[in-house]
Amino acid sequence: MINRKSKEETKRMRHAGHIVALVHQKMREVIEPGISTKELDAIAEKIIKENRAIPTFLGYNGFPASICASINEEVVHGIPSEKRILKEGDIISIDVGATYGGLVGDGAWTYPVGKISADVQRLLATTEESLFAGIEQMREGNVLDDVSAAIERVANREKFGIVRQYGGHGVGHSMHEDPFLFNYSVGDKTHLKTGMAIAIEPMLNLGCDEVTVNELDGWTVSTADKKPSAHFEHSVMVTEDGPLILTQLMP
């Protein structure tokens, strides 16, 4: 069942999303060669708690951290570690969730570490573009597949791989609600209605579509061909006035 949020619930989701945006604002400042993903996790957790929110990811199905930190060929669900030190030329996806007043904000961004190659820069720019192409379709009267198809068109234009096993999802009272959102067209005719909130999160690869899950930690998803992957995500609500990005800084 798809939950539609009330005006009061929307206010709390915007506040949760604001906290997520605060974390990403700080990540832009501190991500540089030499920092560990464990340090990034500690910074994020501090910001979330200082703003009277709960780190949504921490303990979720046993996940041991407040952010997912996925480097280079890692797509999603990378576990922060003091042993994972960023170096020049890396890219890192930071995925973070904050729960405020019982409502969840969920957002991810992929950051360059110093100077990166032109091909990887194109991957980041295209994945971000595909996110906003999907967001533009979050309008009452459209269907869910309009969002998926918009993401796919951008990815196909640049001939990037599209992760098939993972995608976007409803968000609100829990991190994962109905509906599931594919990042490619599957013909889903679910109608978009005011109050529906969806975490849109394209994951595009420089190489193939296929991914694998790390057998040792049971979490980290990586590209099968070990080529870089980018991941961008906003929580977005359908409103009478068009798409509302929830995971952005409020005035």
Side-chain angles (χ1 to χ4, degrees):
M1 184 181 74
I2 299 174
N3 295 315
R4 296 168 66 185
K5 279 65 181 181
S6 67
K7 289 184 178 179
E8 175 57 36
E9 289 170 329
T10 300
K11 286 181 182 178
R12 281 182 278 155
M13 287 195 73
R14 290 193 73 181
H15 197 100
H18 173 75
I19 296 166
V20 168
L22 287 174
V23 172
H24 281 292
Q25 183 181 59
K26 190 65 175 179
M27 292 295 105
R28 289 185 185 93
E29 296 175 9
V30 300
I31 286 175
E32 62 182 12
I35 196 167
S36 74
T37 55
K38 186 69 173 176
E39 290 176 85
L40 296 176
D41 182 64
I43 292 167
E45 184 172 326
K46 183 172 184 287
I47 292 170
I48 293 168
K49 290 182 175 179
E50 282 178 346
N51 285 276
R52 297 179 292 116
I54 298 167
T56 311
F57 295 2
L58 185 60
Y60 184 84
N61 290 337
F63 191 76
S66 296
I67 63 170
C68 298
S70 309
I71 302 172
N72 296 333
E73 74 275 7
E74 295 170 356
V75 182
V76 286
H77 305 162
I79 298 174
S81 168
E82 59 188 11
K83 296 179 180 179
R84 301 298 305 279
I85 309 295
L86 298 182
K87 63 182 187 301
E88 183 85 14
D90 285 342
I91 57 173
I92 180 168
S93 166
I94 301 293
D95 193 355
V96 59
T99 304
Y100 178 86
L103 276 296
V104 175
D106 183 11
W109 215 255
T110 302
Y111 299 96
V113 182
K115 184 176 176 58
I116 61 175
S117 73
D119 278 348
V120 176
Q121 182 59 58
R122 184 168 63 93
L123 174 67
L124 266 59
T126 302
T127 310
E128 182 179 353
E129 180 186 346
S130 73
L131 168 63
F132 284 96
I135 290 172
E136 177 60 27
Q137 297 302 316
M138 283 283 286
R139 299 178 182 275
E140 190 157 27
N142 283 356
V143 297
L144 200 61
D145 201 63
D146 291 327
V147 182
S148 300
I151 293 168
E152 184 179 26
R153 279 194 296 272
V154 175
N156 286 348
R157 185 194 71 210
E158 300 296 327
K159 297 180 172 56
F160 287 137
I162 302 173
V163 174
R164 306 278 161 169
Q165 294 95 320
Y166 300 86
H169 49 87
V171 64
H173 292 281
S174 65
M175 185 163 56
H176 292 108
E177 297 182 353
D178 290 335
F180 182 82
L181 174 68
F182 290 89
N183 287 319
Y184 56 97
S185 177
V186 294
D188 191 328
K189 299 304 180 185
T190 299
H191 286 278
L192 300 178
K193 298 179 181 179
T194 296
M196 290 176 59
I198 297 175
I200 302 173
E201 51 179 323
M203 292 159 257
L204 305 185
N205 304 334
L206 199 58
C208 68
D209 298 343
E210 290 74 26
V211 297
T212 61
V213 179
N214 186 302
E215 293 181 358
L216 295 178
D217 66 31
W219 281 103
T220 308
V221 178
S222 300
T223 55
D225 60 8
K226 302 303 180 186
K227 292 185 178 180
S229 181
H231 174 213
F232 287 79
E233 176 186 25
H234 270 310
S235 296
V236 184
M237 181 170 287
V238 180
T239 76
E240 294 175 354
D241 299 320
L244 172 64
I245 298 175
L246 300 165
T247 40
Q248 61 184 351
L249 294 173
M250 292 192 298

PDB file of all heavy atoms in Angstrom, residues 152-182:
ATOM      1  N   GLU A 152      16.120   6.387 -17.451  1.00  0.00           N
ATOM      2  CA  GLU A 152      16.707   5.485 -18.448  1.00  0.00           C
ATOM      3  C   GLU A 152      17.147   6.229 -19.704  1.00  0.00           C
ATOM      4  O   GLU A 152      18.217   5.932 -20.268  1.00  0.00           O
ATOM      5  CB  GLU A 152      15.712   4.387 -18.818  1.00  0.00           C
ATOM      6  CG  GLU A 152      16.277   3.357 -19.777  1.00  0.00           C
ATOM      7  CD  GLU A 152      15.275   2.266 -20.117  1.00  0.00           C
ATOM      8  OE1 GLU A 152      14.055   2.516 -20.044  1.00  0.00           O
ATOM      9  OE2 GLU A 152      15.716   1.157 -20.468  1.00  0.00           O
ATOM     10  N   ARG A 153      16.359   7.201 -20.150  1.00  0.00           N
ATOM     11  CA  ARG A 153      16.715   7.935 -21.367  1.00  0.00           C
ATOM     12  C   ARG A 153      18.058   8.641 -21.225  1.00  0.00           C
ATOM     13  O   ARG A 153      18.882   8.618 -22.143  1.00  0.00           O
ATOM     14  CB  ARG A 153      15.627   8.960 -21.699  1.00  0.00           C
ATOM     15  CG  ARG A 153      14.422   8.384 -22.423  1.00  0.00           C
ATOM     16  CD  ARG A 153      13.546   9.468 -23.012  1.00  0.00           C
ATOM     17  NE  ARG A 153      12.957  10.333 -21.985  1.00  0.00           N
ATOM     18  CZ  ARG A 153      11.810  10.086 -21.376  1.00  0.00           C
ATOM     19  NH1 ARG A 153      11.116   8.990 -21.679  1.00  0.00           N
ATOM     20  NH2 ARG A 153      11.330  10.921 -20.470  1.00  0.00           N
ATOM     21  N   VAL A 154      18.283   9.247 -20.078  1.00  0.00           N
ATOM     22  CA  VAL A 154      19.555   9.945 -19.860  1.00  0.00           C
ATOM     23  C   VAL A 154      20.716   8.942 -19.823  1.00  0.00           C
ATOM     24  O   VAL A 154      21.770   9.168 -20.433  1.00  0.00           O
ATOM     25  CB  VAL A 154      19.501  10.770 -18.562  1.00  0.00           C
ATOM     26  CG1 VAL A 154      20.862  11.406 -18.274  1.00  0.00           C
ATOM     27  CG2 VAL A 154      18.421  11.847 -18.653  1.00  0.00           C
ATOM     28  N   ALA A 155      20.518   7.829 -19.103  1.00  0.00           N
ATOM     29  CA  ALA A 155      21.572   6.812 -19.015  1.00  0.00           C
ATOM     30  C   ALA A 155      21.900   6.226 -20.389  1.00  0.00           C
ATOM     31  O   ALA A 155      23.082   6.054 -20.740  1.00  0.00           O
ATOM     32  CB  ALA A 155      21.147   5.711 -18.057  1.00  0.00           C
ATOM     33  N   ASN A 156      20.866   5.923 -21.171  1.00  0.00           N
ATOM     34  CA  ASN A 156      21.068   5.318 -22.489  1.00  0.00           C
ATOM     35  C   ASN A 156      21.765   6.271 -23.460  1.00  0.00           C
ATOM     36  O   ASN A 156      22.552   5.838 -24.311  1.00  0.00           O
ATOM     37  CB  ASN A 156      19.732   4.876 -23.078  1.00  0.00           C
ATOM     38  CG  ASN A 156      19.183   3.633 -22.415  1.00  0.00           C
ATOM     39  OD1 ASN A 156      19.881   2.952 -21.669  1.00  0.00           O
ATOM     40  ND2 ASN A 156      17.923   3.334 -22.657  1.00  0.00           N
ATOM     41  N   ARG A 157      21.479   7.551 -23.318  1.00  0.00           N
ATOM     42  CA  ARG A 157      22.117   8.547 -24.200  1.00  0.00           C
ATOM     43  C   ARG A 157      23.637   8.480 -24.081  1.00  0.00           C
ATOM     44  O   ARG A 157      24.357   8.612 -25.070  1.00  0.00           O
ATOM     45  CB  ARG A 157      21.619   9.944 -23.805  1.00  0.00           C
ATOM     46  CG  ARG A 157      22.115  11.066 -24.720  1.00  0.00           C
ATOM     47  CD  ARG A 157      21.869  12.419 -24.069  1.00  0.00           C
ATOM     48  NE  ARG A 157      22.759  12.634 -22.943  1.00  0.00           N
ATOM     49  CZ  ARG A 157      22.452  13.376 -21.876  1.00  0.00           C
ATOM     50  NH1 ARG A 157      21.264  13.950 -21.771  1.00  0.00           N
ATOM     51  NH2 ARG A 157      23.347  13.526 -20.918  1.00  0.00           N
ATOM     52  N   GLU A 158      24.129   8.236 -22.867  1.00  0.00           N
ATOM     53  CA  GLU A 158      25.578   8.176 -22.637  1.00  0.00           C
ATOM     54  C   GLU A 158      26.108   6.741 -22.620  1.00  0.00           C
ATOM     55  O   GLU A 158      27.282   6.517 -22.357  1.00  0.00           O
ATOM     56  CB  GLU A 158      25.919   8.864 -21.307  1.00  0.00           C
ATOM     57  CG  GLU A 158      25.519  10.329 -21.248  1.00  0.00           C
ATOM     58  CD  GLU A 158      26.256  11.188 -22.258  1.00  0.00           C
ATOM     59  OE1 GLU A 158      27.440  10.878 -22.549  1.00  0.00           O
ATOM     60  OE2 GLU A 158      25.656  12.168 -22.747  1.00  0.00           O
ATOM     61  N   LYS A 159      25.206   5.784 -22.861  1.00  0.00           N
ATOM     62  CA  LYS A 159      25.575   4.366 -22.932  1.00  0.00           C
ATOM     63  C   LYS A 159      26.181   3.849 -21.623  1.00  0.00           C
ATOM     64  O   LYS A 159      27.130   3.058 -21.626  1.00  0.00           O
ATOM     65  CB  LYS A 159      26.504   4.087 -24.111  1.00  0.00           C
ATOM     66  CG  LYS A 159      25.873   4.379 -25.468  1.00  0.00           C
ATOM     67  CD  LYS A 159      26.819   4.089 -26.614  1.00  0.00           C
ATOM     68  CE  LYS A 159      26.129   4.192 -27.964  1.00  0.00           C
ATOM     69  NZ  LYS A 159      25.471   5.479 -28.210  1.00  0.00           N
ATOM     70  N   PHE A 160      25.620   4.281 -20.499  1.00  0.00           N
ATOM     71  CA  PHE A 160      26.066   3.801 -19.201  1.00  0.00           C
ATOM     72  C   PHE A 160      25.232   2.608 -18.749  1.00  0.00           C
ATOM     73  O   PHE A 160      24.058   2.479 -19.124  1.00  0.00           O
ATOM     74  CB  PHE A 160      25.966   4.910 -18.149  1.00  0.00           C
ATOM     75  CG  PHE A 160      27.004   5.983 -18.285  1.00  0.00           C
ATOM     76  CD1 PHE A 160      26.665   7.322 -18.145  1.00  0.00           C
ATOM     77  CD2 PHE A 160      28.334   5.670 -18.549  1.00  0.00           C
ATOM     78  CE1 PHE A 160      27.622   8.314 -18.263  1.00  0.00           C
ATOM     79  CE2 PHE A 160      29.306   6.653 -18.671  1.00  0.00           C
ATOM     80  CZ  PHE A 160      28.940   7.984 -18.526  1.00  0.00           C
ATOM     81  N   GLY A 161      25.846   1.741 -17.937  1.00  0.00           N
ATOM     82  CA  GLY A 161      25.109   0.637 -17.351  1.00  0.00           C
ATOM     83  C   GLY A 161      24.114   1.146 -16.315  1.00  0.00           C
ATOM     84  O   GLY A 161      24.368   2.148 -15.634  1.00  0.00           O
ATOM     85  N   ILE A 162      22.980   0.459 -16.198  1.00  0.00           N
ATOM     86  CA  ILE A 162      21.957   0.803 -15.214  1.00  0.00           C
ATOM     87  C   ILE A 162      21.820  -0.369 -14.246  1.00  0.00           C
ATOM     88  O   ILE A 162      21.557  -1.503 -14.659  1.00  0.00           O
ATOM     89  CB  ILE A 162      20.599   1.069 -15.883  1.00  0.00           C
ATOM     90  CG1 ILE A 162      20.710   2.200 -16.913  1.00  0.00           C
ATOM     91  CG2 ILE A 162      19.537   1.398 -14.835  1.00  0.00           C
ATOM     92  CD1 ILE A 162      19.449   2.398 -17.741  1.00  0.00           C
ATOM     93  N   VAL A 163      22.001  -0.102 -12.957  1.00  0.00           N
ATOM     94  CA  VAL A 163      21.862  -1.163 -11.962  1.00  0.00           C
ATOM     95  C   VAL A 163      20.414  -1.643 -11.942  1.00  0.00           C
ATOM     96  O   VAL A 163      19.483  -0.837 -11.813  1.00  0.00           O
ATOM     97  CB  VAL A 163      22.287  -0.660 -10.562  1.00  0.00           C
ATOM     98  CG1 VAL A 163      22.004  -1.716  -9.496  1.00  0.00           C
ATOM     99  CG2 VAL A 163      23.780  -0.304 -10.574  1.00  0.00           C
ATOM    100  N   ARG A 164      20.213  -2.937 -12.079  1.00  0.00           N
ATOM    101  CA  ARG A 164      18.865  -3.492 -12.221  1.00  0.00           C
ATOM    102  C   ARG A 164      18.297  -4.008 -10.897  1.00  0.00           C
ATOM    103  O   ARG A 164      17.091  -3.986 -10.692  1.00  0.00           O
ATOM    104  CB  ARG A 164      18.894  -4.665 -13.223  1.00  0.00           C
ATOM    105  CG  ARG A 164      19.514  -4.304 -14.582  1.00  0.00           C
ATOM    106  CD  ARG A 164      18.551  -3.632 -15.506  1.00  0.00           C
ATOM    107  NE  ARG A 164      19.222  -2.898 -16.580  1.00  0.00           N
ATOM    108  CZ  ARG A 164      18.594  -2.407 -17.640  1.00  0.00           C
ATOM    109  NH1 ARG A 164      17.292  -2.574 -17.782  1.00  0.00           N
ATOM    110  NH2 ARG A 164      19.257  -1.717 -18.551  1.00  0.00           N
ATOM    111  N   GLN A 165      19.150  -4.496 -10.010  1.00  0.00           N
ATOM    112  CA  GLN A 165      18.663  -5.160  -8.793  1.00  0.00           C
ATOM    113  C   GLN A 165      18.242  -4.184  -7.695  1.00  0.00           C
ATOM    114  O   GLN A 165      17.577  -4.568  -6.742  1.00  0.00           O
ATOM    115  CB  GLN A 165      19.724  -6.110  -8.217  1.00  0.00           C
ATOM    116  CG  GLN A 165      20.026  -7.296  -9.113  1.00  0.00           C
ATOM    117  CD  GLN A 165      21.229  -7.045 -10.004  1.00  0.00           C
ATOM    118  OE1 GLN A 165      21.412  -5.945 -10.531  1.00  0.00           O
ATOM    119  NE2 GLN A 165      22.045  -8.065 -10.183  1.00  0.00           N
ATOM    120  N   TYR A 166      18.642  -2.923  -7.821  1.00  0.00           N
ATOM    121  CA  TYR A 166      18.347  -1.931  -6.789  1.00  0.00           C
ATOM    122  C   TYR A 166      17.717  -0.709  -7.450  1.00  0.00           C
ATOM    123  O   TYR A 166      17.927  -0.443  -8.637  1.00  0.00           O
ATOM    124  CB  TYR A 166      19.624  -1.533  -6.034  1.00  0.00           C
ATOM    125  CG  TYR A 166      20.289  -2.693  -5.350  1.00  0.00           C
ATOM    126  CD1 TYR A 166      21.200  -3.501  -6.047  1.00  0.00           C
ATOM    127  CD2 TYR A 166      19.999  -3.027  -4.038  1.00  0.00           C
ATOM    128  CE1 TYR A 166      21.812  -4.593  -5.438  1.00  0.00           C
ATOM    129  CE2 TYR A 166      20.608  -4.116  -3.416  1.00  0.00           C
ATOM    130  CZ  TYR A 166      21.506  -4.894  -4.125  1.00  0.00           C
ATOM    131  OH  TYR A 166      22.095  -5.980  -3.524  1.00  0.00           O
ATOM    132  N   GLY A 167      16.946   0.041  -6.668  1.00  0.00           N
ATOM    133  CA  GLY A 167      16.297   1.219  -7.234  1.00  0.00           C
ATOM    134  C   GLY A 167      15.717   2.091  -6.153  1.00  0.00           C
ATOM    135  O   GLY A 167      16.051   1.968  -4.966  1.00  0.00           O
ATOM    136  N   GLY A 168      14.839   2.996  -6.562  1.00  0.00           N
ATOM    137  CA  GLY A 168      14.208   3.904  -5.621  1.00  0.00           C
ATOM    138  C   GLY A 168      13.044   3.249  -4.896  1.00  0.00           C
ATOM    139  O   GLY A 168      12.684   2.099  -5.167  1.00  0.00           O
ATOM    140  N   HIS A 169      12.407   4.023  -4.002  1.00  0.00           N
ATOM    141  CA  HIS A 169      11.385   3.437  -3.137  1.00  0.00           C
ATOM    142  C   HIS A 169      10.590   4.529  -2.449  1.00  0.00           C
ATOM    143  O   HIS A 169      11.074   5.654  -2.265  1.00  0.00           O
ATOM    144  CB  HIS A 169      12.055   2.563  -2.071  1.00  0.00           C
ATOM    145  CG  HIS A 169      13.188   3.262  -1.364  1.00  0.00           C
ATOM    146  ND1 HIS A 169      13.001   4.068  -0.255  1.00  0.00           N
ATOM    147  CD2 HIS A 169      14.517   3.310  -1.641  1.00  0.00           C
ATOM    148  CE1 HIS A 169      14.167   4.565   0.127  1.00  0.00           C
ATOM    149  NE2 HIS A 169      15.110   4.125  -0.699  1.00  0.00           N
ATOM    150  N   GLY A 170       9.383   4.187  -2.060  1.00  0.00           N
ATOM    151  CA  GLY A 170       8.626   5.079  -1.204  1.00  0.00           C
ATOM    152  C   GLY A 170       9.369   5.309   0.093  1.00  0.00           C
ATOM    153  O   GLY A 170      10.173   4.478   0.528  1.00  0.00           O
ATOM    154  N   VAL A 171       9.116   6.461   0.714  1.00  0.00           N
ATOM    155  CA  VAL A 171       9.809   6.806   1.947  1.00  0.00           C
ATOM    156  C   VAL A 171       8.874   7.625   2.822  1.00  0.00           C
ATOM    157  O   VAL A 171       8.004   8.328   2.321  1.00  0.00           O
ATOM    158  CB  VAL A 171      11.119   7.583   1.635  1.00  0.00           C
ATOM    159  CG1 VAL A 171      10.826   8.921   0.960  1.00  0.00           C
ATOM    160  CG2 VAL A 171      11.969   7.778   2.879  1.00  0.00           C
ATOM    161  N   GLY A 172       9.039   7.526   4.132  1.00  0.00           N
ATOM    162  CA  GLY A 172       8.185   8.285   5.043  1.00  0.00           C
ATOM    163  C   GLY A 172       8.275   7.773   6.457  1.00  0.00           C
ATOM    164  O   GLY A 172       9.218   8.056   7.182  1.00  0.00           O
ATOM    165  N   HIS A 173       7.301   6.957   6.860  1.00  0.00           N
ATOM    166  CA  HIS A 173       7.311   6.418   8.220  1.00  0.00           C
ATOM    167  C   HIS A 173       8.393   5.360   8.393  1.00  0.00           C
ATOM    168  O   HIS A 173       8.820   5.075   9.519  1.00  0.00           O
ATOM    169  CB  HIS A 173       5.934   5.842   8.570  1.00  0.00           C
ATOM    170  CG  HIS A 173       4.881   6.910   8.688  1.00  0.00           C
ATOM    171  ND1 HIS A 173       4.752   7.701   9.802  1.00  0.00           N
ATOM    172  CD2 HIS A 173       3.947   7.333   7.805  1.00  0.00           C
ATOM    173  CE1 HIS A 173       3.765   8.561   9.618  1.00  0.00           C
ATOM    174  NE2 HIS A 173       3.267   8.359   8.411  1.00  0.00           N
ATOM    175  N   SER A 174       8.832   4.779   7.296  1.00  0.00           N
ATOM    176  CA  SER A 174      10.006   3.903   7.313  1.00  0.00           C
ATOM    177  C   SER A 174      10.862   4.243   6.104  1.00  0.00           C
ATOM    178  O   SER A 174      10.422   4.955   5.194  1.00  0.00           O
ATOM    179  CB  SER A 174       9.604   2.422   7.302  1.00  0.00           C
ATOM    180  OG  SER A 174       8.956   2.092   6.097  1.00  0.00           O
ATOM    181  N   MET A 175      12.092   3.745   6.105  1.00  0.00           N
ATOM    182  CA  MET A 175      13.002   4.088   5.014  1.00  0.00           C
ATOM    183  C   MET A 175      12.562   3.478   3.692  1.00  0.00           C
ATOM    184  O   MET A 175      12.742   4.087   2.632  1.00  0.00           O
ATOM    185  CB  MET A 175      14.427   3.641   5.353  1.00  0.00           C
ATOM    186  CG  MET A 175      15.432   4.082   4.304  1.00  0.00           C
ATOM    187  SD  MET A 175      17.132   4.017   4.873  1.00  0.00           S
ATOM    188  CE  MET A 175      17.297   2.322   5.397  1.00  0.00           C
ATOM    189  N   HIS A 176      11.994   2.285   3.752  1.00  0.00           N
ATOM    190  CA  HIS A 176      11.559   1.631   2.523  1.00  0.00           C
ATOM    191  C   HIS A 176      10.060   1.351   2.587  1.00  0.00           C
ATOM    192  O   HIS A 176       9.610   0.529   3.376  1.00  0.00           O
ATOM    193  CB  HIS A 176      12.327   0.318   2.295  1.00  0.00           C
ATOM    194  CG  HIS A 176      13.784   0.530   1.997  1.00  0.00           C
ATOM    195  ND1 HIS A 176      14.779   0.219   2.896  1.00  0.00           N
ATOM    196  CD2 HIS A 176      14.403   1.042   0.919  1.00  0.00           C
ATOM    197  CE1 HIS A 176      15.961   0.513   2.365  1.00  0.00           C
ATOM    198  NE2 HIS A 176      15.753   1.019   1.175  1.00  0.00           N
ATOM    199  N   GLU A 177       9.318   2.075   1.781  1.00  0.00           N
ATOM    200  CA  GLU A 177       7.879   1.871   1.654  1.00  0.00           C
ATOM    201  C   GLU A 177       7.553   1.576   0.198  1.00  0.00           C
ATOM    202  O   GLU A 177       8.413   1.709  -0.691  1.00  0.00           O
ATOM    203  CB  GLU A 177       7.119   3.140   2.097  1.00  0.00           C
ATOM    204  CG  GLU A 177       7.317   3.513   3.561  1.00  0.00           C
ATOM    205  CD  GLU A 177       6.519   4.744   3.987  1.00  0.00           C
ATOM    206  OE1 GLU A 177       5.911   5.399   3.109  1.00  0.00           O
ATOM    207  OE2 GLU A 177       6.504   5.039   5.188  1.00  0.00           O
ATOM    208  N   ASP A 178       6.320   1.185  -0.070  1.00  0.00           N
ATOM    209  CA  ASP A 178       5.864   1.061  -1.452  1.00  0.00           C
ATOM    210  C   ASP A 178       5.723   2.469  -2.037  1.00  0.00           C
ATOM    211  O   ASP A 178       5.429   3.418  -1.309  1.00  0.00           O
ATOM    212  CB  ASP A 178       4.500   0.348  -1.486  1.00  0.00           C
ATOM    213  CG  ASP A 178       4.595  -1.121  -1.114  1.00  0.00           C
ATOM    214  OD1 ASP A 178       5.681  -1.707  -1.284  1.00  0.00           O
ATOM    215  OD2 ASP A 178       3.593  -1.655  -0.640  1.00  0.00           O
ATOM    216  N   PRO A 179       5.932   2.607  -3.342  1.00  0.00           N
ATOM    217  CA  PRO A 179       6.250   1.575  -4.329  1.00  0.00           C
ATOM    218  C   PRO A 179       7.758   1.455  -4.564  1.00  0.00           C
ATOM    219  O   PRO A 179       8.518   2.346  -4.195  1.00  0.00           O
ATOM    220  CB  PRO A 179       5.580   2.130  -5.583  1.00  0.00           C
ATOM    221  CG  PRO A 179       5.790   3.623  -5.453  1.00  0.00           C
ATOM    222  CD  PRO A 179       5.668   3.917  -3.971  1.00  0.00           C
ATOM    223  N   PHE A 180       8.192   0.361  -5.175  1.00  0.00           N
ATOM    224  CA  PHE A 180       9.571   0.252  -5.656  1.00  0.00           C
ATOM    225  C   PHE A 180       9.662   1.010  -6.976  1.00  0.00           C
ATOM    226  O   PHE A 180       8.747   0.964  -7.803  1.00  0.00           O
ATOM    227  CB  PHE A 180       9.953  -1.213  -5.875  1.00  0.00           C
ATOM    228  CG  PHE A 180      11.379  -1.395  -6.328  1.00  0.00           C
ATOM    229  CD1 PHE A 180      12.411  -1.390  -5.402  1.00  0.00           C
ATOM    230  CD2 PHE A 180      11.689  -1.558  -7.669  1.00  0.00           C
ATOM    231  CE1 PHE A 180      13.738  -1.543  -5.806  1.00  0.00           C
ATOM    232  CE2 PHE A 180      13.005  -1.709  -8.080  1.00  0.00           C
ATOM    233  CZ  PHE A 180      14.034  -1.710  -7.144  1.00  0.00           C
ATOM    234  N   LEU A 181      10.764   1.718  -7.179  1.00  0.00           N
ATOM    235  CA  LEU A 181      10.964   2.495  -8.402  1.00  0.00           C
ATOM    236  C   LEU A 181      12.167   1.963  -9.177  1.00  0.00           C
ATOM    237  O   LEU A 181      13.307   2.084  -8.720  1.00  0.00           O
ATOM    238  CB  LEU A 181      11.181   3.975  -8.065  1.00  0.00           C
ATOM    239  CG  LEU A 181      11.552   4.874  -9.242  1.00  0.00           C
ATOM    240  CD1 LEU A 181      10.383   5.000 -10.213  1.00  0.00           C
ATOM    241  CD2 LEU A 181      12.004   6.253  -8.758  1.00  0.00           C
ATOM    242  N   PHE A 182      11.906   1.386 -10.345  1.00  0.00           N
ATOM    243  CA  PHE A 182      12.996   0.933 -11.208  1.00  0.00           C
ATOM    244  C   PHE A 182      13.649   2.139 -11.882  1.00  0.00           C
ATOM    245  O   PHE A 182      12.999   3.156 -12.140  1.00  0.00           O
ATOM    246  CB  PHE A 182      12.467  -0.029 -12.277  1.00  0.00           C
ATOM    247  CG  PHE A 182      12.029  -1.360 -11.740  1.00  0.00           C
ATOM    248  CD1 PHE A 182      10.714  -1.553 -11.315  1.00  0.00           C
ATOM    249  CD2 PHE A 182      12.916  -2.417 -11.646  1.00  0.00           C
ATOM    250  CE1 PHE A 182      10.302  -2.786 -10.817  1.00  0.00           C
ATOM    251  CE2 PHE A 182      12.518  -3.658 -11.153  1.00  0.00           C
ATOM    252  CZ  PHE A 182      11.208  -3.833 -10.734  1.00  0.00           C
TER     253      PHE A 182
END
